[in-house]
Amino acid sequence: MRSKTLWGLALLAGLWLLPVSAGAEGKAKEDYSKLAGYVDFADLGLNEEEAVVEVYLHDALLGMVASMSKGSDPELADMLNKLKLIRVQKFLLDDDAKVGTVEDQISALAGKLEKSGWTAAVRMREKKGDNVYVYMKMGDKVLEGITVMAVEGGESATFVNIVGEIDPEQIGRLGHKFDIDELDDLGDQWHEHSRDQKEKK
Amino acid sequence: MRHAAPEETPLSCARALVLLEVFLDGELQGQRLSRFQAHLRSCTDCKGELEEARKIQEGLADLPTGDCPSAVTQRVLAWAAAREAPDERSRSRRFGGWGKRLAMIWRPAVAGLGVAVTALLIALAAREPARRVPQGTPQQVRAEQEARWALAYVARMTRRSSDQALGQVMDEVVDNVIGGTVVAPISEAVRRPLEEDGS
């Protein structure tokens, strides 16, 4: 009798937890491509398996990170709480032909973005192998997406897409704060990681 | 749009110079090797650079690697051994009976000093503002780093571009405003007497 009661309680607890976990799973699998600020880098025609850096932070994970950094960095937590997705892809460009191809593809995607209501914040074409495009998707009152497409030093192409409710000033402030510590440290780690991967191949 | 196949695309001098060292190390292969060789056939400057680099590499390889005289090696090893393990007897010889007595005093004194310095360092560290220690699972910590990186990257790219835009504006100001009102009258003032002298 007593074991039956325990089994019953366990079943009830299981049923109670089921929608919670299903909800979390569902959130992680949300179709972000329907969001206004989303950019599909697949249109660039690059083989995603060749990316040396692949970051995909969806809102469930960003929410957890936000609650983690609430005490230590409230501004970062506030910003992350409003974001839906952060994506980063980085590719190494082996030769000049690849640089040219990727630049053409970026230029084509930039054209598509402009046609679909994105605003060019930056279009910097310094020389072959050094181009930066920054596009912003304006919502009614807030920014709904930012995307950066950059070819640097004729060696790498980096694509960043931030989706969600974005305050550009906040990005500027936070970005400036993290610039030296985060960008260089993590960039070096990624560089080493990609070099190790190359050596293994 | 059709893109040229890699083997058809000529290599730039900048790219060839990057590949030069790889070529000398014998690690350049396949299409990259054939493109590099094709570039050398048409570019005398890069060919010259290659010859220079080859000479330097050969010169370095030819440098003599002489052996150290055994007497010197032995003296260095003996000196190092003496430094690593000071002989108890030599210390007694130097200080006589006092050596042991002094050792009994200074050893506890040094140990006490060490403890005091450690305590002082701990106290100073406690006065420093607490450094941010990442908390959460490794996945969360990593995610936070990556999010910061993405934000920093966007900010850096936007800033870099605005710096460049500012530079262009300044160039235009110099060319159109300062150039017209300051530089042109000065150059005119300098040119005219020179022309008059010449005539």
Side-chain angles (χ1 to χ4, degrees), chain A residues 15-50:
Chain A
L15 285 171
W16 179 67
L17 283 173
L18 193 65
V20 177
S21 58
E25 185 73 8
K27 213 172 188 187
K29 284 182 180 171
E30 191 180 320
D31 188 2
Y32 297 102
S33 64
K34 286 177 183 163
L35 297 171
Y38 180 87
V39 174
D40 196 355
F41 293 132
D43 287 354
L44 289 164
L46 290 162
N47 183 1
E48 293 195 353
E49 285 175 8
E50 284 178 11

Side-chain angles (χ1 to χ4, degrees), chain A residues 55 57 61 64-65 68-69 72-73 76 80 86 88 94-97 101 104 122 124 126 130 132 146 148 150 152 154 158 160 162 171 175-176 178-179 182-184 186-187 189-190, chain B residues 1 3-6 9-12 15 18 31-32 35 132 134-137 139-162 164:
Chain A
V55 172
L57 308 174
L61 188 54
M64 279 193 271
V65 174
M68 184 182 93
S69 33
S72 55
D73 197 335
L76 175 69
L80 295 182
I86 294 181
V88 179
D94 297 331
D95 50 43
D96 292 350
T101 308
D104 287 346
V122 172
M124 190 173 72
E126 282 183 341
D130 263 305
V132 180
I146 285 188
V148 177
E152 291 169 277
T158 307
V160 180
I162 299 177
I171 282 206
H176 186 66
F178 303 148
D179 205 359
E182 305 297 327
L183 199 54
D184 294 339
L186 201 60
Q189 279 176 36
W190 282 341
Chain B
M1 184 187 291
H3 295 289
T9 319
L11 207 64
S12 66
R15 192 82 193 162
V18 170
Q31 280 180 0
R32 291 170 95 193
R35 287 176 64 211
R132 194 178 163 277
Q135 289 174 341
T137 65
Q139 190 200 11
Q140 287 169 351
V141 172
R142 181 86 189 160
E144 196 203 60
Q145 275 187 323
E146 288 170 346
R148 284 165 177 253
W149 188 91
L151 297 175
Y153 188 78
V154 170
R156 177 181 278 189
M157 283 302 144
T158 315
R159 201 166 47 242
R160 203 177 108 184
S161 314
S162 57
Q164 202 210 25

Side-chain angles (χ1 to χ4, degrees), chain B residues 117-140:
Chain B
V117 168
T118 311
L120 186 68
L121 287 173
I122 291 169
L124 283 172
R127 282 167 63 98
E128 286 286 309
R131 284 198 67 179
R132 194 178 163 277
V133 181
Q135 289 174 341
T137 65
Q139 190 200 11
Q140 287 169 351

Side-chain angles (χ1 to χ4, degrees), chain B residues 80-91:
Chain B
R83 267 185 75 93
E84 273 180 14
D87 187 7
E88 196 67 32
R89 277 182 304 172
S90 66
R91 203 184 304 148

Side-chain angles (χ1 to χ4, degrees), chain B residues 95-126:
Chain B
F95 298 109
W98 282 100
K100 281 183 182 174
R101 271 172 244 166
L102 275 171
M104 284 172 72
I105 299 164
W106 68 255
R107 277 183 182 154
V110 168
L113 188 67
V115 171
V117 168
T118 311
L120 186 68
L121 287 173
I122 291 169
L124 283 172

